[in-house]
Amino acid sequence: MASPGPAPAGPAQAGLAAVAAALVVLAATVRFGGSISEQAAPGLTQAGAFTKGALALSELAMNAAGALTAGWLLLAAVLLPAASGHLERCLRAASLSALAWTLAVLAVVAFSTGDLFGVPAGRVTGNLLATFLTDLPQGRALVAVAVAAATVAVTAPLARTPQAAGYPLLLALAGLLPPMFTGHAADASFHALAVYSLAAHVLAAAVWAGGLVALAVAVRWDGRIAAEAVARYSAVALVCFAVVAVSGAVNAWIRLGGFDLGSRYGALIAAKAAVLAALAGFGWRHRRASIPRLRSRHGTGTFLRLAAAETVVMAAAMALATGLSRTPPPELASDTLDPVQLRLGFPLPGPPSVSAYALDWWIDPLFGTLVVLGGVLYAAAVVRLRGHGGAWPPARVVAWYAGLTIVLVATSSGLARYSMVLFSAHLVQHMVVTLLAPVMLWLGAPVALALRALPEGRPRELVAAVARSRGLRLLTHPVAATALLAATLYGFYFTPLFEASLRNHAVHSLAMAVFLASGCCYLRAVTSPGRGLRAAAVLAASLPFHVAFALHLAGSDDAFAAGWFTRLGRPWGVSPLADQRSAGEIVWTLAAAVTLLFPAVLASLIRMRSGYRARRT
């Protein structure tokens, strides 16, 4: 039986207070920021104040419903104790939130179309909708969000275990991201950093706010889950707070062009920082007051009262963020970048040379962050394992850091600059990330290290669940892994994705992350024990894909993304078509060399496992 808690009217009162705070803050923000007035975008729209206000309100509803969906799924997959018995209830709530999310996205589509074409939402025609949804990046992004939300609404109730709930959770988090890739940073030189800092900001805020609301409701259902679930959420919330603070500061710095709070946009940034400081105070109070009392099986009421007040402040913060997203940042000088630099995000590099490739670095924000995290976490795991009397082979440590170094060099050295200018450099980057880096990372055995270093508890259970998950087994099946490797090659270069990645640094680095993941899946399919002849078949089947691609590059009379490379107007080097033909030779050489290397990798893995098990015995 559920433990007694506060009066049933509590959730309704907290919800009404949160909605009221959000509406008041949103109205004040859009009014102060100038997004209601037609002067906010002169000459681009004549939509009335009602359409603009309704658009802001529907965007707030979309953001709130998406965060709440993520929160319910986080509760089901991570926060709930194993024997709580509330998994099905959480998943039903997630499904309803996802349905509301879908409807809110449809409202955003209608009002965005009206705002863009200057007509009331009721007079938006099918042709206008089709134009918005198919021809404009913003419309296509909203389609992706609607599909993700609707899929979560349908599939969430089908999960039967916390591990299965992880799949709709990942889909819900992915559904929050598409709009991030359709905006424009204040400075093209930092476009990728602006996009990824904003994406991290949105994801962390959604998990933080949605998780708190879902957790508070679940504690009202059953106070017995409070101690364990709140302790787990507290660790998640601390990480989310740090990510929100750092990513928000980075994104604000980029959009303001430095420390400039004199504009309306800057004033709203300052207000948002003040709200974040207030939320930090709530977190401190939880750790000092409610969590210690929950551990002694008391203090449910204290937690719920603090959570209710924190939810109201979070609702105001979300409304402030929504209004800020519709506020134009201050304009920067338009004569500081030439057209080529505007396209590339950096000055056109000179003729390629060994020193240019080795010394002219351009740090990719996504991979720079991933490499640092991978290095720190791996080192911490090794130290913890050895501190508890365990051992970890030095060869694995060397292999892991060699893999991280390869990833960093491929994505952030001079090769990263030239990959936007030369097709051959782009192919080298692609092949290194897909076929070479995974070999060293796999030899580092990070999953095995995590399972040995982590203490008994939820983090270790989550790592084990992911390693044994049905989805990962599917992706690393020989047939699926080979198909995925081919799809990342042909599906990228023979579609508009390739040129889109050249135009958008964030899309480029995201594509490289997919290449790295596909290479890791392929390597696991080859090296998994007991596969034998199937592993040899996978090796034999992959080589023709690369050979056929190399032959196409060498014999084609049409260059990929020829318009992009031609408009750069580089005064050095061969033509785009000649460069592409050289790339064909590179693909053939690298693919053949790495494919032939895989049997040696398999043999190395077997020897390392045998030696390690012998030492443990």
Side-chain angles (χ1 to χ4, degrees):
M1 180 180 297
S3 62
Q13 293 172 350
L16 289 174
V19 170
L23 293 177
V24 170
V25 171
L26 180 64
T29 303
V30 296
R31 183 69 179 177
F32 176 78
S35 59
I36 289 293
S37 64
E38 295 185 4
Q39 285 74 23
L44 295 181
T45 179
Q46 292 80 37
F50 173 80
T51 299
K52 292 176 179 290
L55 175 57
L57 183 60
S58 59
E59 286 181 346
L60 175 60
M62 178 180 71
N63 297 337
L68 193 55
T69 302
W72 281 116
L73 293 171
L74 177 74
L75 183 64
V78 179
L79 303 181
L80 274 183
S84 67
H86 296 293
L87 176 65
E88 185 178 352
R89 198 172 182 181
C90 291
L91 293 173
R92 286 200 305 268
S95 179
L96 292 175
S97 298
L99 178 60
W101 187 14
T102 306
L103 296 176
V105 175
L106 297 179
V108 171
V109 168
F111 288 115
S112 295
T113 305
D115 182 47
L116 178 67
F117 293 103
V119 298
R123 296 176 57 186
V124 172
T125 65
N127 289 335
L128 294 179
L129 277 175
T131 300
F132 176 73
L133 295 176
T134 59
D135 294 346
L136 298 179
Q138 181 187 1
R140 293 194 292 267
L142 290 174
V143 169
V145 176
V147 170
T151 304
V152 170
V154 173
T155 59
L158 303 179
R160 294 292 179 265
T161 63
Q163 291 79 9
Y167 294 110
L169 172 60
L170 292 176
L171 182 58
L173 294 176
L176 297 170
L177 294 178
M180 308 300 107
F181 291 87
T182 61
H184 298 279
D187 188 341
S189 298
F190 298 99
H191 174 75
L193 183 59
V195 170
Y196 281 114
S197 62
L198 182 59
H201 191 79
V202 169
L203 288 178
V207 170
W208 186 13
L212 177 65
V213 174
L215 178 61
V217 175
V219 169
R220 287 183 181 276
W221 292 344
D222 187 352
R224 293 173 297 181
I225 71 171
E228 186 173 351
V230 172
R232 292 177 179 177
Y233 171 77
S234 178
V236 174
L238 181 61
V239 174
C240 289
F241 170 77
V243 173
V244 167
V246 174
S247 61
V250 170
N251 201 266
W253 184 273
I254 293 172
R255 294 187 179 276
L256 290 173
F259 188 79
D260 179 14
L261 302 180
S263 63
R264 293 186 178 187
Y265 194 91
L268 292 177
I269 289 289
K272 194 175 176 183
V275 174
L276 184 63
L279 291 173
F282 279 107
W284 176 83
R285 186 62 179 166
H286 273 298
R287 289 177 173 269
R288 289 293 301 271
S290 65
I291 294 179
R293 296 192 65 191
L294 287 172
R295 288 172 181 158
S296 60
R297 303 297 178 183
H298 299 289
T300 302
T302 301
F303 167 75
L304 290 173
R305 285 191 294 272
L306 278 173
E310 188 175 2
T311 299
V312 174
V313 178
M314 281 185 168
M318 187 170 291
L320 182 59
T322 302
L324 184 64
S325 69
R326 301 200 55 77
T327 302
E331 295 184 2
L332 301 179
S334 59
D335 56 351
T336 57
L337 296 174
D338 60 44
V340 173
Q341 186 169 344
L342 283 171
R343 293 190 187 101
L344 291 174
F346 49 80
L348 180 69
S353 63
V354 174
S355 61
Y357 276 111
L359 303 177
D360 195 9
W361 282 58
W362 187 75
I363 302 297
D364 182 281
L366 176 63
F367 282 99
T369 302
L370 292 177
V371 166
V372 170
L373 285 177
V376 171
L377 293 177
Y378 196 92
V382 172
V383 171
R384 177 181 175 83
L385 181 61
R386 291 177 176 172
H388 287 76
W392 191 249
R396 290 193 185 275
V397 178
V398 173
W400 175 257
Y401 285 100
L404 292 182
T405 302
I406 292 171
V407 171
L408 187 64
V409 169
T411 59
S412 299
S413 68
L415 182 61
R417 289 186 185 268
Y418 284 100
S419 70
M420 311 294 288
V421 178
L422 293 172
F423 185 82
S424 57
H426 194 284
L427 256 296
V428 171
Q429 185 186 45
H430 183 159
M431 301 299 286
V432 168
V433 168
T434 305
L435 297 179
L436 184 58
V439 173
M440 304 309 296
L441 295 176
W442 189 254
L443 289 172
V447 176
L449 174 61
L451 292 176
R452 291 203 58 209
L454 287 172
E456 294 290 339
R458 193 62 167 176
R460 190 172 186 272
E461 293 171 2
L462 289 174
V463 173
V466 171
R468 297 192 301 264
S469 65
R470 184 176 302 173
L472 188 59
R473 290 200 304 270
L474 174 62
L475 290 174
T476 56
H477 187 276
V479 175
T482 305
L484 180 62
L485 193 70
T488 57
L489 191 65
Y490 290 88
F492 181 70
Y493 290 102
F494 288 94
T495 68
L497 285 175
F498 175 51
E499 189 161 354
S501 72
L502 296 174
R503 296 178 182 276
N504 189 312
H505 288 295
V507 175
H508 178 84
S509 54
L510 189 62
M512 289 296 154
V514 174
F515 299 156
L516 180 62
S518 68
C520 291
C521 291
Y522 177 77
L523 189 61
R524 179 170 177 176
V526 173
T527 58
S528 293
R531 292 255 163 100
L533 293 176
R534 285 189 294 174
V538 173
L539 287 170
S542 64
L543 188 58
F545 288 117
H546 292 94
V547 172
F549 185 68
L551 292 175
H552 175 81
L553 295 180
S556 176
D557 292 329
D558 298 317
F560 287 109
W564 167 268
F565 292 115
T566 301
R567 283 193 295 272
L568 294 179
R570 52 182 172 83
W572 47 262
V574 298
S575 68
L577 184 57
D579 179 60
Q580 179 174 300
R581 290 173 176 169
S582 300
E585 300 175 4
I586 295 173
V587 170
W588 160 248
T589 303
L590 286 178
V594 176
T595 302
L596 295 175
L597 177 66
F598 275 171
V601 174
L602 180 58
S604 298
L605 277 174
I606 294 173
R607 287 197 301 270
M608 291 177 68
R609 285 171 180 166
S610 300
Y612 182 56
R613 288 171 181 170
R615 285 193 298 272
R616 290 187 65 188
T617 303

